[in-house]
C-alpha cells in the first residue's frame, strides 16, 4: 500500500461521494485524476497524497477530519422511502447518508440537551401489511390526533407538532425525484427528512406520509419493502394514513360541499394539503367513484396543477426549529462552543446548518452562501408582478446526421 | 290542517336532503367570501364593484350544479337553462318534486326581480299544490313535467361587508311570483355551520416546547467564539 494521508478511510470517500449525489467517475473528472485512482481510494487500496486529499476535501466541501473520523452509528431499523423504483437508487443512497448524518448530529446534541420524549399511543405491531385494514388505519390516525390534542379540524403546524412529540424533522436539498426518507434509530427516536424544495402543502403531505410508515410499518419485515406487490400495499396504507391524519372524515366531509376541483381548491386554504391528496381522500372515503376520480385527476393535470397547485405560493413553509434551538442553547449557555461543535461533528458547517435548520453562517460566522436555485424549482413571477414577459422562442430542431452522412463527413 | 307555509316547508323537506341544503348553504357563504376576495385582489375597487356580483352569481350557479352532481343518487339534477330571450342562463335544481333557482335580492323582504322563468315555475307551482288559490293570470304551460313545488334560494349581502351574506333563505313564491308564501331561514337551520364558517381558525401552538441542558453538563467560562 502506498503511503498517503494517514488514517484516511476509503468507505468515507464513498459516503461523501454518495452524499453529494456524485459518482466516482464524476469526482475523478472534477479532481483531474483517473477513475481507477478514485476507485482505489474508495476500496482502501491506495490513500490519496496530501495534495489530492486537499482537493478532495475542497471539492466535496468536507473537512479533512471527516475522512479520518470514527464511524457514525448506523441504524439497523427499516428505512422508509416513497418509491422503491430501481431508478431511485442514487437519490435514495444520498438520502440515506444524509439521514445518518442527521442521526449523528442528533446524537451529539442529545449528549448536552434533553430533547422531548417520544409521545404517541401504543399501536399494534403489525408484521404483515395485509393485517392492516383501512378502518384500522383510520382509527390509528384518529387516536394519534386525540393523543396529540389536535381535535378534528385542520392540523396546525405539523413540523412543530412532530418536534414537540419527540420526532426529529429536517429539510434537505434532495433531488426533485426524492420526496423524503424516514426511520427509527436504534434508540427508538423517529427521524424524518423531507425535500426542502417541496411546497409547504406538499411538505406536509410528505411528513404525514412518513408518519404513516413510522406508525404502521415499524415492525414489518425489511424484505417486504423489496417486493413490489407488498410495497404497493405499504405505500397505499401510508397515503391513507396521511390523508386520514390530515383530513379526518367527519370534519373534512362537512367542508367539501361539492366534488369539483374548484371546491377543493377553496378547501386548500383551510386544510393546507395538496388538492391531489384531497381527491385521494374523497376516493378513500367512497365519496367519489373511480370514474369521478379519474376525471378529477385528468382535469388537475389539464390545469397544470401537477407541478404547481393554486395557493402553493401563499401557504408559508413550516420551519424545523428543535435542533437549531438546541444548538443555540448549547452555545449560548457555554456548554459547547461553535468550534467544539465543528470538531465533534466532522461535517461542513453548511451541512450542519442545512440539516438542523440553523441560519446560514451561524456556525462559521460567515456571510450566507448564495446558492443557485435548481432550475426545476424556479418559480415564474406571478402574473400581477410580471411587467413585460419575454417571448419564448423554441430551439430550432436539427436532425442528427444519419449514418450515411456521418460516413461522408468522415 | 296545516297552513300553506307549513305545507310548502314540509313538502320541500320531503324532497330535498338536508345535507344537500347544507352544502348549498356553505357554497353561498364561500362564494360571497371568494368573490369579494377575488375582486379586491385583482381590481381597484371602482372596477371591482360591478364584477363582484357577476363573479358571485356565476360561481353560485356553477356550485348549484356541482352540488346536484354530488347528490345525483338522491335524484338531484341541475341544469343551466336559457331564459326567454336566450341571452341569459339560470340554473334550475330539481330534486323530487321541488324545482329551485337562486337569486340575490336587496333585502330579506324583497321579492325577486321580474323574470319570466320564475313566473313560469311559480305558475306551475300554483297549478298543483296551491290550486285552491284563484289564479289571476293565465298559467303558462311548459313542456317538461312540472314540479309540485317551486323554491327560490334568496340571498343578499350585509351592509358594509359584501364578503358575507346577511341572509340566506329558501322561499316559496305564490302563483304570481309577487309574494312569498313560506320561508326557511338557513341561518337558523344551520347555525352551527355559520358559526364554524366565520370562526377564526384555531391557531395551533407554533411554540416549540422549551428544551434544556442536561443536568450533568458543565458550563464553561465564556470563551472566544468562532469556527
Amino acid at each position: 500500500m502506498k503511503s498517503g494521508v494517514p488514517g484516511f478511510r476509503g468507505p468515507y470517500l464513498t459516503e461523501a461521494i454518495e452524499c453529494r449525489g456524485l459518482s466516482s467517475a464524476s469526482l475523478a473528472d472534477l479532481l483531474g485524476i483517473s477513475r481507477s485512482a478514485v476507485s482505489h481510494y474508495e476500496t482502501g487500496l491506495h490513500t490519496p497524497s496530501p495534495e489530492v486529499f486537499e482537493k478532495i476535501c475542497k471539492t466535496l466541501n468536507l473537512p479533512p477530519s471527516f475522512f479520518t473520523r470514527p464511524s457514525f452509528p448506523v441504524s439497523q431499523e427499516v428505512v422508509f422511502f416513497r418509491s422503491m423504483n430501481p431508478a431511485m437508487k442514487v437519490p435514495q443512497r444520498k438520502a440515506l447518508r444524509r439521514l445518518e448524518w442527521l442521526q449523528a448530529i442528533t446524537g451529539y446534541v442529545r449528549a448536552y440537551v434533553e430533547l422531548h420524549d417520544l409521545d404517541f399511543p401504543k399501536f399494534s405491531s403489525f408484521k404483515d401489511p395485509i393485517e392492516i385494514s383501512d378502518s384500522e388505519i383510520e382509527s390509528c390516525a384518529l387516536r394519534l390526533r386525540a393523543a396529540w390534542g389536535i381535535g378534528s379540524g385542520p392540523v396546525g403546524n405539523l413540523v412543530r407538532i412532530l418536534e414537540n412529540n419527540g420526532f426529529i424533522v429536517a429539510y434537505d436539498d434532495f433531488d426533485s425525484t426524492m420526496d423524503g426518507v424516514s426511520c427509527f434509530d436504534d434508540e427508538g427516536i423517529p427521524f424524518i427528512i423531507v425535500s426542502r424544495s417541496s411546497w409547504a402543502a406538499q411538505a406536509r403531505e410528505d411528513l404525514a406520509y412518513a408518519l404513516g410508515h413510522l406508525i404502521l410499518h415499524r415492525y414489518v419485515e425489511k424484505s417486504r419493502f423489496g417486493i413490489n406487490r407488498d410495497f404497493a400495499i405499504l405505500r397505499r396504507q401510508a397515503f391513507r394514513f396521511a390523508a386520514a391524519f390530515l383530513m379526518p372524515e367527519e370534519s373534512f366531509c362537512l367542508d367539501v360541499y361539492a366534488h369539483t376541483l374548484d371546491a377543493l381548491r377553496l378547501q386548500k386554504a383551510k386544510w393546507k394539503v395538496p388538492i391531489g391528496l384531497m381527491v385521494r381522500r374523497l376516493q378513500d372515503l367512497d365519496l367519489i367513484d373511480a370514474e369521478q376520480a379519474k376525471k378529477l385527476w385528468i382535469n388537475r393535470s389539464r390545469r397544470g396543477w401537477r407541478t404547481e397547485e393554486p395557493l402553493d405560493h401563499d401557504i408559508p413553509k413550516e420551519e424545523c426549529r428543535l435542533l437549531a434551538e438546541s444548538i443555540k442553547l448549547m452555545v449560548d449557555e457555554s456548554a459547547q462552543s461553535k468550534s467544539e461543535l465543528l470538531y465533534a461533528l466532522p461535517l461542513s458547517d453548511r451541512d450542519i446548518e442545512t440539516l438542523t435548520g440553523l441560519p446560514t453562517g451561524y456556525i462559521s460566522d460567515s456571510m450566507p452562501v448564495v446558492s443557485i436555485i435548481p432550475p426545476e424549482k424556479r418559480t415564474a413571477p406571478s402574473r400581477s408582478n410580471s411587467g413585460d414577459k419575454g417571448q419564448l422562442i423554441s430551439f430550432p430542431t436539427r436532425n442528427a446526421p444519419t449514418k450515411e452522412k456521418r460516413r461522408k463527413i468522415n | 290542517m296545516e297552513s300553506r307555509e307549513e305545507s310548502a316547508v314540509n313538502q320541500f323537506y320531503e324532497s330535498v336532503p338536508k345535507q344537500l341544503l347544507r352544502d348549498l348553504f356553505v357554497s353561498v357563504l364561500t362564494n360571497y367570501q371568494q368573490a369579494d376576495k377575488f375582486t379586491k385582489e385583482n381590481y381597484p375597487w371602482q372596477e371591482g364593484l360591478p364584477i363582484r356580483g357577476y363573479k358571485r352569481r356565476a360561481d353560485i350557479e356553477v356550485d348549484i350544479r356541482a352540488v346536484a352532481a354530488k347528490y345525483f343518487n338522491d335524484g338531484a339534477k341541475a341544469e343551466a337553462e336559457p331564459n326567454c330571450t336566450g341571452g341569459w342562463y339560470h340554473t334550475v335544481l330539481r330534486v323530487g318534486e321541488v324545482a329551485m333557482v337562486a337569486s340575490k335580492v336587496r333585502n330579506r323582504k324583497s321579492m325577486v326581480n321580474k323574470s319570466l322563468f320564475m313566473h313560469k315555475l311559480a305558475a306551475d307551482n300554483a297549478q298543483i299544490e296551491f290550486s285552491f288559490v284563484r289564479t289571476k293570470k293565465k298559467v303558462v304551460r311548459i313542456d317538461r313535467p312540472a314540479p309540485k313545488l317551486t323554491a327560490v334560494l334568496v340571498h343578499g349581502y350585509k351592509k358594509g361587508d359584501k364578503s358575507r351574506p346577511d341572509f340566506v333563505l329558501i322561499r316559496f313564491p305564490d302563483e304570481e311570483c309577487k309574494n312569498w308564501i313560506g320561508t326557511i331561514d338557513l341561518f337558523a337551520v344551520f347555525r352551527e355551520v355559520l358559526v364554524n364558517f366565520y370562526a377564526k381558525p384555531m391557531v395551533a401552538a407554533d411554540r416549540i416546547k422549551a428544551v434544556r441542558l442536561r443536568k450533568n453538563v458543565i458550563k464553561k467560562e465564556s470563551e472566544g467564539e468562532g469556527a
Side-chain angles (χ1 to χ4, degrees):
Chain A
M1 191 170 143
K2 283 184 185 175
S3 62
V5 176
F8 180 87
R9 299 177 71 174
Y12 294 164
L13 179 59
T14 310
E15 181 181 329
I17 290 170
E18 286 175 357
C19 225
R20 297 293 182 234
L22 294 171
S23 65
S24 307
S26 54
L27 179 67
D29 291 344
L30 287 169
L31 295 173
I33 58 173
S34 70
R35 293 174 187 195
S36 59
V38 173
S39 174
H40 288 165
Y41 298 151
E42 285 184 74
T43 52
L45 198 64
H46 292 174
T47 51
S49 64
E51 297 78 37
V52 173
F53 182 58
E54 199 186 325
K55 266 186 173 178
I56 290 174
C57 294
K58 220 172 191 177
T59 308
L60 295 172
N61 188 25
L62 283 164
S65 54
F66 175 84
F67 300 95
T68 55
R69 65 183 162 87
S71 62
F72 292 144
V74 177
S75 164
Q76 297 305 311
E77 297 254 356
V78 63
V79 179
F80 306 108
F81 293 104
R82 193 139 152 182
S83 164
M84 295 307 273
N85 188 335
M88 295 289 291
K89 277 207 168 149
V90 173
Q92 277 180 3
R93 271 206 294 267
K94 177 183 172 181
L96 197 57
R97 296 300 192 185
R98 301 287 287 181
L99 188 66
E100 286 168 16
W101 288 9
L102 180 66
Q103 288 173 346
I105 295 170
T106 307
Y108 167 74
V109 171
R110 283 186 72 220
Y112 296 92
V113 179
E114 280 181 24
L115 298 181
H116 311 307
D117 293 331
L118 183 61
D119 178 21
F120 62 66
K122 204 172 186 300
F123 295 106
S124 309
S125 345
F126 304 108
K127 288 199 171 125
D128 189 341
I130 295 162
E131 288 172 19
I132 313 170
S133 66
D134 286 345
S135 57
E136 190 82 44
I137 296 170
E138 295 282 331
S139 139
C140 283
L142 287 179
R143 278 174 60 201
L144 191 62
R145 285 179 73 101
W148 287 351
I150 298 172
S152 60
V155 175
N157 187 327
L158 183 55
V159 170
R160 199 68 60 245
I161 289 169
L162 290 171
E163 286 186 335
N164 284 344
N165 287 290
F167 285 67
I168 305 293
V169 184
Y171 290 113
D172 201 5
D173 303 317
F174 289 146
D175 298 356
S176 57
T177 49
M178 190 75 198
D179 298 297
V181 58
S182 58
C183 83
F184 282 96
D185 74 355
D186 290 336
E187 291 179 51
I189 299 173
F191 287 82
I192 305 175
I193 308 182
V194 291
S195 174
R196 184 184 298 282
S197 57
S198 299
W199 298 110
Q202 183 60 47
R204 281 162 63 86
E205 180 192 317
D206 293 341
L207 285 169
Y209 174 87
L211 184 62
H213 270 316
L214 290 168
I215 282 177
L216 300 172
H217 304 140
R218 186 179 180 185
Y219 301 102
V220 173
E221 284 173 35
K222 269 187 185 179
S223 59
R224 305 295 290 267
F225 287 82
I227 304 166
N228 278 346
R229 187 174 48 84
D230 284 350
F231 186 73
I233 297 171
L234 294 162
R235 188 179 139 90
R236 195 192 63 76
Q237 289 173 343
F239 266 123
R240 173 107 196 195
F241 180 91
F245 180 74
L246 293 171
M247 295 167 278
E249 181 177 0
E250 198 185 327
S251 43
F252 179 67
C253 289
L254 288 179
D255 276 354
V256 181
Y257 61 85
H259 301 151
T260 59
L261 288 180
D262 288 319
L264 295 179
R265 183 173 57 87
L266 296 177
Q267 294 309 320
K268 185 173 174 178
K270 179 176 179 184
W271 291 87
K272 295 184 179 66
V273 292
I275 292 165
L277 192 65
M278 290 192 213
V279 175
R280 194 185 276 270
R281 183 69 178 145
L282 291 178
Q283 202 176 358
D284 282 347
L285 296 173
D286 289 330
L287 295 172
I288 53 172
D289 57 27
E291 194 58 35
Q292 286 172 301
K294 193 178 161 188
K295 275 184 191 165
L296 289 175
W297 288 119
I298 291 170
N299 279 332
R300 180 172 167 264
S301 299
R302 203 171 280 162
R303 293 184 187 199
W305 290 2
R306 279 181 65 163
T307 44
E308 191 184 318
E309 288 183 355
L311 301 177
D312 273 341
H313 289 272
D314 303 335
I315 301 173
K317 194 95 176 241
E318 297 167 357
E319 296 297 328
C320 307
R321 280 169 44 194
L322 179 66
L323 288 178
E325 297 284 326
S326 303
I327 291 175
K328 281 180 184 169
L329 178 75
M330 285 159 61
V331 174
D332 293 347
E333 297 283 322
S334 306
Q336 286 279 280
S337 67
K338 291 176 189 176
S339 48
E340 281 172 324
L341 188 144
L342 274 177
Y343 180 77
L345 291 170
L347 300 169
S348 77
D349 47 358
R350 179 89 182 102
D351 286 320
I352 298 171
E353 286 161 1
T354 305
L355 286 169
T356 57
L358 280 167
T360 310
Y362 174 82
I363 293 177
S364 58
D365 291 327
S366 59
M367 290 296 286
V369 177
V370 179
S371 57
I372 298 166
I373 305 166
E376 68 270 24
K377 291 295 170 192
R378 276 181 207 158
T379 51
S382 65
R383 191 166 285 187
S384 56
N385 295 337
S386 61
D388 43 358
K389 276 189 171 180
Q391 191 190 351
L392 284 177
I393 302 167
S394 56
F395 282 108
T397 50
R398 193 173 58 186
N399 294 331
T402 57
K403 275 184 183 177
E404 282 178 25
K405 276 185 184 172
R406 258 185 256 147
R407 256 184 241 137
K408 278 180 191 172
I409 293 163
N410 292 335
Chain B
M1 192 183 158
E2 57 185 13
S3 66
R4 283 179 79 183
E5 175 162 10
E6 281 171 347
S7 160
V9 170
N10 290 342
Q11 197 178 348
F12 182 82
Y13 276 132
E14 273 170 28
S15 289
V16 182
K18 207 166 180 186
Q19 192 61 35
L20 184 153
L21 206 54
R22 184 195 173 282
D23 284 345
L24 278 180
F25 180 56
V26 176
S27 144
V28 172
L29 299 183
T30 309
N31 285 315
Y32 264 82
Q33 209 171 48
Q34 289 301 316
D36 189 61
K37 194 174 164 219
F38 174 80
T39 45
K40 277 180 183 163
E41 280 176 1
N42 293 286
Y43 301 97
W45 71 270
Q46 297 92 332
E47 278 74 26
L49 218 56
I51 291 171
R52 185 194 290 115
Y54 283 107
K55 162 118 181 96
R56 185 184 55 225
R57 181 192 183 277
D59 287 346
I60 289 176
E61 298 276 316
V62 168
D63 276 350
I64 289 175
R65 300 200 285 272
V67 170
K70 187 177 170 184
Y71 293 92
F72 180 77
N73 293 336
D74 294 305
K77 203 176 174 190
E79 279 175 334
E81 296 174 4
N83 68 356
C84 55
T85 61
W88 196 257
Y89 280 81
H90 58 273
T91 299
V92 183
L93 167 72
R94 295 173 200 278
V95 202
E97 296 178 332
V98 171
M100 188 161 72
V101 289
S103 192
K104 182 248 165 197
V105 291
R106 192 174 290 275
N107 62 54
R108 58 170 59 234
K109 286 179 186 167
S110 303
M111 192 61 205
V112 288
N113 286 343
K114 229 181 174 184
S115 63
L116 192 58
F117 74 88
M118 279 202 202
H119 273 272
K120 279 182 181 178
L121 287 168
D124 280 335
N125 183 353
Q127 284 176 74
I128 299 156
E129 185 60 23
F130 307 110
S131 53
F132 54 89
V133 182
R134 195 161 56 86
T135 54
K136 290 177 187 168
K137 277 194 177 176
K138 194 184 167 190
V139 167
V140 185
R141 286 267 165 209
I142 52 170
D143 296 337
R144 73 175 62 81
K148 284 188 178 175
L149 183 65
T150 297
V152 186
L153 175 75
V154 292
H155 52 87
Y157 57 75
K158 206 170 185 174
K159 230 177 181 180
D161 182 6
K162 292 185 177 179
S163 69
R164 53 200 289 177
D166 191 29
F167 54 89
V168 181
L169 311 165
I170 301 287
R171 304 199 99 167
F172 308 102
D174 67 4
E175 71 280 3
E176 287 180 40
C177 210
K178 278 187 175 171
N179 296 300
W180 301 119
I181 55 166
T183 303
I184 300 172
D185 184 354
L186 297 189
F187 273 27
V189 177
F190 300 111
R191 185 169 296 281
E192 200 182 323
V193 175
L194 189 71
V195 171
N196 287 338
F197 191 87
Y198 292 114
K200 282 188 180 166
M202 219 169 66
V203 180
D206 191 27
R207 209 173 300 151
I208 192 156
K209 269 195 220 166
V211 282
R212 59 179 180 199
L213 288 180
R214 290 190 182 278
K215 280 175 189 164
N216 55 353
V217 170
I218 302 154
K219 294 181 188 178
K220 294 161 202 157
E221 292 296 313
S222 66
E223 51 188 55
E225 282 301 338

